[in-house]
Amino acid sequence: MKHFRQELWFNTPHRRDYLNITPQVEELVAKSGIRNGLCLVNAMHITASVYINDAEPGLLQDYDAWLQRLAPFNASSDVASGGYRHNATGEDNADAHLKRQVMGREVVVAITDGQLDFGPWEQIYYAEFDGRRRKRVLVKIIGE
Amino acid sequence: MKHFRQELWFNTPHRRDYLNITPQVEELVAKSGIRNGLCLVNAMHITASVYINDAEPGLLQDYDAWLQRLAPFNASSDVASGGYRHNATGEDNADAHLKRQVMGREVVVAITDGQLDFGPWEQIYYAEFDGRRRKRVLVKIIGE
Amino acid sequence: MKHFRQELWFNTPHRRDYLNITPQVEELVAKSGIRNGLCLVNAMHITASVYINDAEPGLLQDYDAWLQRLAPFNASSDVASGGYRHNATGEDNADAHLKRQVMGREVVVAITDGQLDFGPWEQIYYAEFDGRRRKRVLVKIIGE
């Protein structure tokens, strides 16, 4: 069994951003030399997601609007006015911890014949919900 | 290390359907000859989910009604009237891309002694949110 | 390739509870002797989740309040009054099957140099949505 590990670093310009990281992951799969196995890609921070879906700009806006409806940004810790208890710690990112649960922490992708084994439209995204600082994603591949 | 790969194809009669695919996955685990390892089962399309939960018809109806509340079907691209920007591409399935994020893309199941290592009620479902056409699921197993 | 399997058992005092199980999983990683690979941690029951996020008491309360908004507890099977069809089986836990889909069934964590390969704040939680009885989590590790 072979194993490979590398981090990808991001510093997004906005609080929330959606980055297609498929090319970077493909490069690491090639670099690993692993032909058949599993590739784990996970956010190493708890206010960001890694997910697989469409590279379509309208959909990215739909996701963002929808996540704001399901878990609205609110910097306050006053629950009665829509705030979150977590923000009593002095942070303002409770909503980001919730949004990340909807979109997920990680994806596991099959590696077949040295490639990400994808359907026609699958793309790997890094979804940032509390950006404007350096954060990272882990890529771990095992196989042979 | 051994590895095994096979696709399962579906063409559901309705836009949304929930199929118990546990027997098909069990067959592939047996066919793989792998006794201990990990089994990845993922939708290869981005408007469908693979998830693990109960084989109970009432619950399937509850899931469907709940997902319609969280991300209602709306073929329009007029956001003001509840539509989705993604549908400006000419598609009508933006809601399916959202529903799939709630239910997830994939499951990873332990293989122990040649079996899916499941608790008493775990069943693998294929959830289709934009059906009535041929779509597929990937099963990739690694282990020994 | 090496493989390791062990169950963790819980019996939470309340219907809903959130337990940090990182120390138990770390112990099993050490016990496995596996230095590089993948560690799957999944709920073996379908009304509980395993997820990774912050060990911050305010956030746990936020999660609980938020999940109650997204999928409120309602013991009834009368859909018109906010109940769930699943509860017509005689159970009262349909909401738990929904909450678990938001928070997820499983996490897959990289093992690097014999450790959980985590970012600074990642902690593994067991989220119980229908507790007060013995339930379990599976830890399966493969690697070398």
Side-chain angles (χ1 to χ4, degrees), chain A residues 85-102:
Chain A
R85 285 178 186 83
H86 177 60
N87 292 341
T89 59
E91 296 201 85
D92 64 0
N93 64 4
D95 69 300
H97 291 274
L98 277 53
K99 289 178 168 92
R100 116 75 167 252
Q101 292 307 122
V102 176

Side-chain angles (χ1 to χ4, degrees), chain B residues 65-139:
Chain B
W66 179 61
L67 292 167
Q68 277 289 79
R69 279 200 304 278
L70 293 183
F73 171 73
N74 188 318
S76 152
S77 62
D78 177 24
V79 173
S81 69
Y84 301 95
R85 284 177 186 83
H86 177 60
N87 293 341
T89 59
E91 297 201 86
D92 65 359
N93 64 3
D95 70 299
H97 292 273
L98 276 55
K99 289 178 169 92
R100 116 77 165 249
Q101 292 307 120
V102 176
M103 298 303 274
R105 167 187 180 260
E106 79 218 8
V107 297
V108 177
V109 184
I111 305 293
T112 301
D113 299 335
Q115 309 282 330
L116 294 171
D117 194 336
F118 267 164
W121 302 102
E122 291 189 277
Q123 296 284 307
I124 307 176
Y125 270 79
Y126 175 68
E128 175 61 80
F129 304 120
D130 183 29
R132 300 174 297 191
R133 51 194 175 101
R134 276 169 56 75
K135 293 168 76 172
R136 59 199 160 125
V137 159
L138 176 64
V139 179

